[in-house]
Amino acid sequence: MRNIVAERFAGGEDNAMNAAAASAADFEDMINLSIGDTDFTTDERIIRAAMADALAGHTHYTASKGDPELIEEVCRYYQQEYGLCVKKEEVFVTTSSCFGMELALMAVLNPGDEVIVFSPYFTPYKEQIELAGGVTVEVECREEDGFAISRQALEAAVSPRTRAMILNNPCNPTGAAYGPDCLAMIAEVAQKNDLLVLADEIYTDYMYQIPFVPLRSLPGMAERTITLNSFSKNYIMTGWRIGYIIAQPALVEVLDRINGNMVYSAPSISQRAAIHALRLRGEIGGQYTSSYAQRVAYAADRINAMEKLSVLKPQGTFYLFPNITATGLSSAQFCAKLRTEAHVVMVPGSAFGKAGEGYVRIACTVSQEKLKEAFDRIEKLQF
């Protein structure tokens, strides 16, 4: 019998994040610091409002581009938070932002088009690009530079085949946050080389040192920015799988065509929950971001107090990206040792691109008490 697996998947590597998350079940006392799923439950007011909407009949397909009421709330959000005019025809509601990234890449890439990613990068980007027929080009961001994006390295990576770049601000996994100077540089390079930018902006509430600025708000960038946002992190709604894309209306029409062959519309109940989340954002957001800011600060202090580990001061997200090279172990070996000897799960830095080796990603998505227990265990290990 012929191979039932498509050639493009033959010999591929397993998703390291998925593998790490699965290993959390290996021991009963495992502390899982691998996956960015918050330990908080969605605010009860959102849940009850969505449940009431379901009971009232919101259990059917919505419009394929999204519930009009949600689209209006998204537009209102950008106007109120950033003074940014987003038109209804520029918004497309997606079944998660991760799925939205795949849709966007499918919509804009021709076979062989190159997409620049800043390494270390969110693990799925590379395969998402390749599934859409593109080629991933990594631009290394170095710890000694605070994982900042180098203009020189970026311009050197641009070729006649470059179609787009992906900017994740703040960045998963490094926690780097990009301010006005970096965004202006990205915008200038994009305009100079006629590039699109897929702006993955799902951690906008998790900026600890500088305010968040939407890339599309910069002069000349609205028409070449594809904004991806989500309710998973800012609103503690990972399981609802709901997000959205903001793009030019012509691209929204193509997204609708592609999506129509996959899921038709995002889940109606999740869309109703998203509506209520946006309306309640002033009341619920701060409590979560404050807790995570305390956690990452605590975890960073514990890491930097260890002899062979170090980490930069957190700037954004709820992740840390410690340097483990002094242990003499690869990132995979380090994580295996923690898993089997300390019963703590992290993700090897090698999962986040070539520049990730020598690091591990920690998701501070457990209580501070659990973080303390995890680091107490790690301190007892011999490296």
Side-chain angles (χ1 to χ4, degrees):
M1 180 178 176
R2 69 174 67 185
N3 193 339
I4 62 173
V5 177
E7 291 180 2
R8 64 182 180 276
F9 294 111
E13 298 180 359
D14 291 338
N15 185 298
M17 286 199 301
N18 292 354
S23 71
D26 289 353
F27 301 101
E28 288 186 2
D29 64 343
M30 193 79 85
I31 298 176
N32 186 2
L33 306 181
S34 70
I35 194 166
D37 190 3
T38 69
D39 58 319
F40 295 107
T41 299
T42 304
D43 190 279
E44 183 177 336
R45 289 168 291 180
I46 296 174
I47 298 171
R48 291 192 178 279
M51 182 173 66
D53 285 347
L55 291 170
H58 287 279
T59 59
H60 304 277
Y61 293 128
T62 67
S64 60
K65 295 177 184 177
D67 186 324
E69 198 173 343
L70 175 55
I71 290 173
E72 288 180 5
E73 287 296 334
V74 169
C75 295
R76 187 174 295 113
Y77 164 78
Y78 278 88
Q79 182 63 55
Q80 292 178 349
E81 296 294 324
Y82 307 110
L84 187 59
C85 178
V86 173
K87 301 175 183 177
K88 291 186 288 186
E89 58 268 26
E90 295 176 320
V91 180
F92 185 82
V93 180
T94 60
T95 310
S96 82
S97 182
C98 196
F99 184 63
M101 178 65 77
E102 187 65 53
L103 286 176
L105 290 166
M106 291 176 68
V108 302
L109 295 185
N110 295 307
D113 280 353
E114 295 176 354
V115 180
I116 291 171
V117 298
F118 300 104
S119 179
Y121 54 82
F122 181 47
T123 303
Y125 289 162
K126 183 176 187 294
E127 193 153 5
Q128 287 176 327
I129 291 166
E130 293 170 357
L131 283 171
V135 176
T136 304
V137 176
E138 297 187 30
V139 170
E140 181 178 354
C141 299
R142 300 181 299 180
E143 181 186 9
E144 54 264 39
D145 301 323
F147 293 112
I149 298 171
S150 161
R151 178 172 190 145
Q152 182 178 5
L154 172 57
E155 291 186 325
V158 176
S159 81
R161 294 295 300 172
T162 307
R163 172 65 167 158
M165 63 180 104
I166 298 178
L167 178 68
N168 184 200
N169 186 30
C171 176
N172 172 8
T174 66
Y178 306 119
D181 290 345
C182 177
L183 297 182
M185 180 273 289
I186 293 288
E188 187 175 339
V189 172
Q191 292 175 52
K192 175 183 176 182
N193 296 281
D194 192 23
L195 304 180
L196 297 170
V197 183
L198 291 89
D200 186 347
E201 298 178 344
I202 76 168
Y203 293 95
T204 57
D205 286 356
Y206 298 87
M207 298 278 278
Y208 303 132
Q209 298 177 25
I210 56 177
F212 173 78
V213 176
L215 182 66
R216 68 182 311 102
S217 67
L218 273 64
M221 287 305 292
E223 60 266 30
R224 63 177 67 251
T225 300
I226 301 169
T227 300
L228 297 107
N229 212 326
S230 166
F231 292 84
S232 290
K233 314 302 183 181
N234 287 352
Y235 302 98
I236 317 299
M237 292 173 60
T238 51
W240 298 82
R241 312 313 296 137
I242 191 73
Y244 57 87
I245 297 172
I246 303 173
Q248 289 293 298
L251 181 57
V252 168
E253 295 299 325
V254 176
L255 295 171
D256 193 28
R257 283 173 49 197
I258 299 170
N259 197 62
N261 293 301
M262 294 182 173
V263 298
Y264 180 69
S265 67
S268 59
I269 312 303
S270 297
Q271 293 192 62
R272 299 307 300 178
I275 291 168
H276 300 295
L278 285 171
R279 291 173 179 168
L280 288 165
R281 67 183 182 276
E283 301 177 42
I284 64 175
Q287 61 180 307
Y288 303 120
T289 53
S290 176
S291 294
Y292 283 119
Q294 293 172 17
R295 292 179 189 185
V296 295
Y298 169 79
D301 288 344
R302 290 295 304 268
I303 292 165
N304 285 324
M306 296 184 189
E307 184 179 352
K308 295 186 178 181
L309 303 180
S310 64
V311 71
L312 296 179
K313 182 179 180 180
Q315 298 177 330
T317 75
F318 42 62
Y319 304 106
L320 291 173
F321 206 57
N323 187 321
I324 53 95
T325 54
T327 67
L329 302 176
S330 70
S331 60
Q333 290 170 336
F334 181 89
C335 287
K337 183 178 180 70
L338 259 61
R339 186 176 66 253
T340 57
E341 297 182 24
H343 295 184
V344 174
V345 184
M346 299 179 184
V347 182
S350 55
F352 303 97
K354 297 174 184 176
E357 182 52 64
Y359 300 84
V360 294
R361 191 192 74 172
I362 297 174
C364 296
T365 49
V366 299
S367 68
Q368 192 161 318
E369 290 74 20
K370 278 291 184 183
L371 286 172
K372 179 182 184 303
E373 183 179 349
F375 290 116
D376 287 348
R377 294 181 191 179
I378 295 169
E379 281 182 335
K380 297 174 183 178
L381 298 180
Q382 297 295 318
F383 294 106

